């Protein structure tokens, strides 16, 4: 891997925060074990493009595959990494490896070993811990490795009367920390949102009748990479016409036709943070009357949802606001018949808006963090980031909707940071008004 340009103190600060949070929870002598992602083979000796496991990167900044990190807060050797061996031939083909020395020197590990030593060393490093945080049942190979280690520990603790070490979720404990963005992290997320915005603006400028969805996807990739983004935060959705009614449309291979809308949902990564913007606009540069009426209502609804984001509000409340707004629109347009309250009670809207109002956003597009606390919807709080993305999707083969609306899909998505007094829309510069979309 390349020598990182990242601000390496960020990773140390995160480890300090994690140590403090475990100590506030009165958890003593715990250890956290995190496996890096494996390099997956696409064919023969060609791997799929690699992205590090988010939690592994979050705490270490280390981007080599096939590594393991052990964090033992409060111990003399607190940070320990297991890495791939240096290998002159492999490094000639695939690039530099840090080895154990690099892990200590550049990534501030207190100790580092080669992977081959993992099961023996890990057993002695974890033996006296009170509990282990590990992401159990996410990866059978890692589960099997940990099983071997727990068995070794059992043997090491022979006749001590101790049972198997309790395992807690690393995903949850780290996720709760990732949910609250530090000021440095907010700056990284902002940058990801800025690059994403530039990508969408480039797409709006280039889009025209007769162009293929894929070519437009290429415009987005070109723009974000020009701006230094290494990759998208998720596979971009470039969905023209009724393709927009497939929520996670992935094919991106059809021609954009006169009179259609195109829904573009795409995000750029910046230092492992990602933006997640959706815009829907007319391929030929002009909304039809029907498109304008429905888009205009959805835009007002989206703006009112963004305005409602502040500390104390829950996703549940925002979802209710969204489903009411969409149901009212569906009744007005003759797609649903009946009383709005009754239709909401019967959840009649789910066919036309099958997803929620949004999700947490950060290093993963659908980011970490608990949405419920003690069985109740969690109130939003300053430092959280989320998307607001109401949508309406009328399947092309719907038999009850007026014919003119069939195949219509609209989503408008912005990225919102919750602040002490309300929120900041991090993607406010991405055009979404009817006037801007008809001009750009
Ligand atoms: N881009 C996926 C989503 O908006 O959730
Ligand atoms: Mn989203
Ligand atoms: Mn999205």
């Amino acid at each position: 891997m390349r020598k990182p340009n990242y601000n390496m103190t960020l990773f140390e600060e995160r480890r300090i925060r994690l140590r403090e949070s475990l100590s506030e929870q009165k958890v003593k002598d715990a250890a956290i074990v995190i496996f890096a992602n494996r390099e997956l083979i696409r064919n023969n000796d060609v791997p799929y493009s690699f992205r590090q496991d988010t939690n592994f990167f979050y705490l270490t900044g280390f981007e080599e595959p096939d590594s393991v990190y052990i964090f033992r807060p409060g111990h003399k050797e607190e940070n320990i990494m297991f890495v791939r061996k240096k290998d002159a031939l492999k490094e000639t083909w695939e690039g530099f490896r840090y080895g154990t020395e690099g892990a200590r020197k550049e990534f501030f590990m207190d100790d580092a070993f080669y992977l081959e030593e993992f099961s023996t060393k890990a057993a002695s490093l974890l033996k006296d811990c009170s509990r282990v945080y590990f992401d159990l049942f996410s990866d059978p190979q890692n589960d099997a490795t940990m099983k071997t280690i727990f068995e070794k520990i059992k043997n090491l603790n022979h006749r001590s009367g101790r049972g198997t070490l309790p395992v807690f979720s690393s995903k949850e404990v780290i996720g709760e920390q990732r949910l609250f963005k530090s000021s440095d992290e907010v700056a990284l997320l902002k940058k990801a949102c800025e690059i994403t915005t530039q990508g969408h603006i480039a797409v709006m400028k280039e889009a025209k009748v007769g162009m293929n969805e894929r070519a437009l996807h290429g415009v987005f990739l070109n723009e974000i990479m020009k701006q230094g983004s290494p990759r998208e935060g998720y596979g971009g959705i470039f969905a023209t016409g009724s393709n927009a009614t497939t929520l996670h449309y992935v094919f991106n291979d059809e021609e954009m036709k006169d009179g259609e809308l195109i829904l573009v949902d795409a995000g750029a990564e910046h230092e492992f943070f990602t933006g997640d913007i959706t815009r829907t606009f007319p391929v030929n540069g002009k909304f039809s009357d029907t498109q304008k009426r429905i888009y205009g209502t959805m835009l007002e609804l989206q703006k009112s949802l963004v305005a409602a984001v502040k500390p104390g509000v829950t996703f549940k409340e925002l979802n209710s606001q969204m489903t009411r707004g969409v149901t009212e629109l569906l009744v007005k347009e003759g797609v649903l018949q009946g009383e709005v309250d009754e239709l909401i009670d019967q959840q009649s809207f789910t066919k036309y808006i099958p997803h929620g109002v949004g999700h947490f956003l950060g290093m993963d597009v659908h980011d970490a963090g608990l949405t419920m606390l003690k069985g109740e919807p969690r109130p939003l709080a300053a430092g959280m980031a989320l998307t607001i993305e109401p949508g309406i999707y009328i399947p092309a083969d719907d038999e009850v909707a007026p014919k003119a609306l069939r195949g219509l899909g609209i989503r408008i998505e912005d990225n919102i940071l919750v602040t002490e007094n309300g929120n900041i829309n991090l993607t406010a510069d991405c055009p979404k008004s009817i006037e801007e979309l008809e001009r750009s």
Side-chain angles (χ1 to χ4, degrees):
M1 76 181 245
R2 285 236 176 275
K3 191 169 161 64
N5 294 324
Y6 309 121
N7 164 14
M8 293 306 287
T9 57
L10 189 58
F11 305 100
E12 198 174 351
E13 281 163 17
R14 289 171 177 162
R15 299 195 290 252
I16 293 170
R17 267 168 80 194
L18 188 52
R19 189 206 297 139
E20 286 171 356
S21 118
L22 289 173
S23 148
E24 276 160 23
Q25 293 169 52
K26 311 230 175 312
V27 176
K28 273 199 193 138
D29 293 325
I32 297 181
V33 182
I34 309 191
F35 286 72
N37 274 335
R38 264 189 292 281
E39 190 161 64
L40 295 178
I41 296 301
R42 179 173 157 170
N43 50 59
N44 300 322
D45 53 353
V46 177
Y48 283 101
S49 71
F50 180 79
R51 182 193 184 268
Q52 187 55 284
D53 172 78
T54 306
N55 283 339
F56 189 94
F57 181 83
Y58 177 78
L59 290 175
T60 65
F62 193 68
E63 289 186 81
E64 286 188 28
D66 306 322
S67 319
V68 193
Y69 169 61
I70 298 185
F71 182 46
R72 299 189 309 161
H75 280 77
K76 187 161 161 278
E77 274 96 31
E78 193 169 60
N79 297 291
I80 301 123
M81 188 126 70
F82 293 84
V83 298
R84 300 178 305 179
K85 274 205 169 116
K86 287 197 66 73
D87 179 327
L89 181 63
K90 283 230 153 75
E91 290 183 54
T92 301
W93 285 90
E94 297 161 9
F96 179 74
R97 293 180 175 191
Y98 276 95
T100 49
E101 206 184 310
R104 282 194 207 96
K105 227 166 88 190
E106 304 285 348
F107 296 87
F108 309 109
M109 291 293 123
D110 302 309
D111 222 339
F113 304 98
Y114 289 118
L115 270 177
E116 288 71 7
E117 299 174 86
F118 180 65
S119 71
T120 316
K121 293 274 188 220
S124 68
L125 288 166
L126 301 179
K127 173 173 96 61
D128 296 317
C129 289
S130 61
R131 59 169 71 175
V132 173
Y133 290 89
F134 166 66
D135 191 16
L136 195 59
F137 303 137
S138 283
D139 180 300
Q141 202 170 316
N142 295 344
D143 290 348
T145 306
M146 288 308 286
K147 181 170 182 279
T148 314
I149 289 161
F150 286 127
E151 281 164 357
K152 279 196 177 162
I153 293 175
K154 208 160 121 188
N155 290 335
L156 288 170
N157 286 337
H158 182 58
R159 289 197 180 156
S160 67
R162 291 192 68 191
T164 306
L165 272 179
V167 176
F168 288 73
S169 168
S170 55
K171 190 175 157 186
E172 210 169 289
V173 73
I174 299 171
E176 279 301 279
Q177 180 167 318
R178 276 174 45 195
L179 179 55
F180 294 91
K181 276 75 183 167
S182 68
S183 55
D184 285 339
E185 290 169 344
V186 167
L188 297 176
L189 179 60
K190 261 189 183 157
K191 181 77 182 167
C193 289
E194 275 164 30
I195 299 175
T196 301
T197 296
Q198 291 312 313
H200 275 264
I201 291 173
V203 161
M204 287 169 191
K205 283 193 180 133
E206 288 286 321
K208 55 177 177 289
V209 173
M211 193 173 180
N212 196 282
E213 294 165 341
R214 184 163 288 157
L216 210 51
H217 192 185
V219 171
F220 182 77
L221 292 172
N222 181 53
E223 183 62 32
I224 67 168
M225 289 190 174
K226 241 172 28 189
Q227 305 224 19
S229 169
R231 61 193 154 242
E232 297 177 290
Y234 54 93
I237 297 163
F238 290 75
T240 186
S242 64
N243 294 336
T245 63
T246 301
L247 301 180
H248 283 174
Y249 174 75
V250 290
F251 305 112
N252 297 348
D253 62 353
E254 287 198 9
E255 191 184 296
M256 294 151 46
K257 298 189 192 70
D258 198 14
E260 286 181 341
L261 297 178
I262 180 155
L263 181 154
V264 176
D265 181 348
E269 263 200 10
H270 170 73
E271 297 198 12
F272 278 72
F273 280 82
T274 187
D276 178 14
I277 297 180
T278 307
R279 291 293 183 259
T280 312
F281 55 92
V283 169
N284 66 10
K286 193 107 186 80
F287 284 100
S288 71
D289 289 346
T290 303
Q291 290 165 348
K292 190 183 275 187
R293 195 175 64 243
I294 297 179
Y295 182 86
T297 306
M298 289 304 292
L299 181 61
E300 289 316 308
L301 175 62
Q302 199 260 2
K303 286 191 198 162
S304 73
L305 287 162
V306 170
V309 172
K310 62 177 184 204
V313 168
T314 63
F315 271 118
K316 188 165 181 239
E317 289 162 340
L318 295 168
N319 267 316
S320 301
Q321 189 176 332
M322 176 182 79
T323 49
R324 175 163 295 276
V326 177
T327 304
E328 283 170 359
L329 176 60
L330 289 166
V331 169
K332 204 165 129 217
E333 292 293 336
V335 180
L336 292 178
Q337 271 87 32
E339 286 298 316
V340 168
D341 285 335
E342 271 173 36
L343 292 166
I344 292 173
D345 284 347
Q346 293 156 2
Q347 308 245 306
S348 311
F349 52 82
T350 50
K351 181 173 168 197
Y352 303 107
I353 164 67
H355 62 73
V357 69
H359 49 81
F360 291 133
L361 181 72
M363 296 176 74
D364 291 325
V365 60
H366 298 157
D367 206 37
L370 297 168
T371 52
M372 304 282 285
L373 288 181
K374 297 191 181 133
E376 296 291 330
R378 174 181 212 153
L380 297 177
M384 294 179 181
L386 67 152
T387 65
I388 290 291
E389 50 178 308
I392 185 166
Y393 314 90
I394 310 202
D397 59 359
D398 193 282
E399 283 172 3
V400 292
K403 281 211 172 75
L405 304 187
R406 294 181 197 171
L408 186 79
I410 294 173
R411 178 162 67 251
I412 309 166
E413 177 174 28
D414 279 309
N415 303 162
I416 314 295
L417 176 72
V418 185
T419 59
E420 296 293 343
N421 303 317
N423 74 68
I424 299 171
N425 184 347
L426 303 177
T427 48
D429 290 340
C430 190
K432 66 179 174 183
S433 73
I434 288 174
E435 300 71 42
E436 287 169 311
L437 295 181
E438 289 197 330
R439 207 171 42 222
S440 52

